[in-house]
Amino acid sequence: PASHKELIHNIRGLSPQPVCHSPRLFYYERHIFHRQHSTPSPPPSRSPVAANASSHRRQRKGGGSTAPPHITYGFVVPIAGIAAASAYAYCSCLDDVPYTNRRRFLATTPRWEESMGDEQYRALLDRYRGDILPNGHRASVTVQRVGSRIAAAAKNCSREWSNESKGIQRKTNPPPYTYTVVRSPEANAFVLPGNHVFVLTGLFRYAHNEDELASVLGHEMAHNLARHAGERVSESLLMGILSRLALVVDPSGILFSLLLPAQTLLYSLPHSREHEVEADRIGIVLASEACYDPRAARQVFSRMKEDAEGGGARGKNAAPPPEFVSTHPGYDTRLTLFDQWMPDALVRFNEDGGNKCRAIREEMKRARRLAAEMHDGKEGRGRWSNP
């Protein structure tokens, strides 16, 4: 075998022929000789797409997690922008209900709600044109007298609650109220946005005096004060967006068909019952502020419960629907809640030792006597006398 110096001498190319005759060492010497005396060939050219793919493969092998640019800028960034804009819009529309301070989503403005109420008001006037009682009718005079006191109390309470709401400015100069009494066997009353009060004469089966009428009007005006109509429109808008997203996610419509009943049962109906409970609570506060006895609300709903359980307007032996599928809470629930809220309402009613409301209630009695003298006492005689 060749010595070490001879081997190095042959590897450096100083001798064109190797001096080693060992097959293994011979192959090694020829390989080194070929690398030193041959021209290196350039690496094969690759397309930019292949080079980019190779780069991403090396990043994945090295532990990198960067997404490709067309995924980042074409999908992730727009989705993140839409999500951020939606969250900002939702938070910008959050509002607190007066008195209860419940946080809710409200996307409408008072001006838009008033325009909607004005349109509905004109439509209802056309609908009930032949059944509207004249302004001089005893029932109309009483509704206007009681409603005016509740409206003044609502304005005072709105100003008071606005000052307590951490600087949130609310509209304390609402448009004037209108009062419309409709001859109808239906027992109902409602207030449209824009302060349009409607009372159907069937309500007088349950409201036998001014205190009880005040409890009903207080409830309906509380809906208006809390802007429940605008909240329902906002909820419908939100549910419409979610329904369309469901169709985008599942074009077959299966998810959409499941979403509608779930939204009604788990969202719309509970919120409707929450609105009614909230109006009950605010309503007795408005009635007590106007110096009407808030305990009268319990009497009205007790009569409604007896009528419902005995058949009454629903028909003989007709039971009311279960509460979880109803837009209104059950009578037992409402009566129980009245008992919980009554102490606070009575504190407002008996404020200043009862001196504030004592003079006002004497004035109410004089107004009732004057109304009885000015109108024929045959219709509803004795119905409006307080004990």
Side-chain angles (χ1 to χ4, degrees), residues 119-138:
E119 183 178 353
Q120 293 178 347
Y121 173 66
R122 291 188 292 268
L124 288 175
L125 288 181
D126 291 337
R127 175 183 175 184
Y128 295 127
R129 183 177 300 278
D131 297 321
I132 297 176
L133 299 182
N135 293 333
H137 192 278
R138 186 177 182 183

Side-chain angles (χ1 to χ4, degrees), residues 186-347:
E186 183 181 357
N188 194 13
F190 53 90
V191 180
L192 299 175
N195 299 334
H196 303 293
V197 181
F198 281 80
V199 175
L200 279 61
T201 55
L203 177 68
F204 299 149
R205 296 196 307 269
Y206 306 108
H208 295 171
N209 54 54
E210 290 187 5
D211 286 327
E212 294 172 356
L213 177 62
S215 68
V216 177
L217 293 182
H219 170 92
E220 300 302 335
M221 290 185 182
H223 278 303
N224 212 29
L225 181 63
R227 297 177 60 191
H228 285 161
E231 187 176 353
R232 287 192 295 269
V233 172
S234 303
E235 291 173 358
S236 300
L237 175 65
L238 188 61
M239 290 298 104
I241 295 175
L242 293 179
S243 300
R244 282 158 179 76
L245 288 177
L247 289 176
V248 172
V249 174
D250 180 20
S252 66
I254 297 177
L255 181 60
F256 177 78
S257 62
L258 295 176
L259 180 65
L260 286 182
Q263 177 262 331
T264 300
L265 188 62
L266 301 178
Y267 188 83
S268 296
L269 291 178
H271 271 67
S272 178
R273 293 192 295 269
E274 187 176 27
H275 290 174
E276 296 300 324
V277 169
E278 201 166 53
D280 285 345
R281 184 178 180 183
I282 298 176
I284 61 173
V285 174
L286 298 181
S288 60
E289 177 68 20
C291 290
Y292 291 105
D293 192 345
R295 292 168 290 190
R298 206 180 193 285
Q299 299 298 326
V300 174
F301 284 99
S302 295
R303 293 192 188 101
M304 291 182 178
K305 177 186 175 183
E306 293 173 1
D307 186 65
E309 292 177 349
R314 295 178 182 272
K316 191 174 181 179
N317 298 327
E323 184 172 326
F324 73 94
V325 294
S326 177
T327 58
H328 289 61
Y331 291 115
D332 291 332
T333 300
R334 302 179 90 159
L335 293 175
T336 301
L337 291 174
F338 278 135
D339 292 337
Q340 296 178 9
W341 302 327
M342 201 58 62
D344 293 337
L346 288 175
V347 168

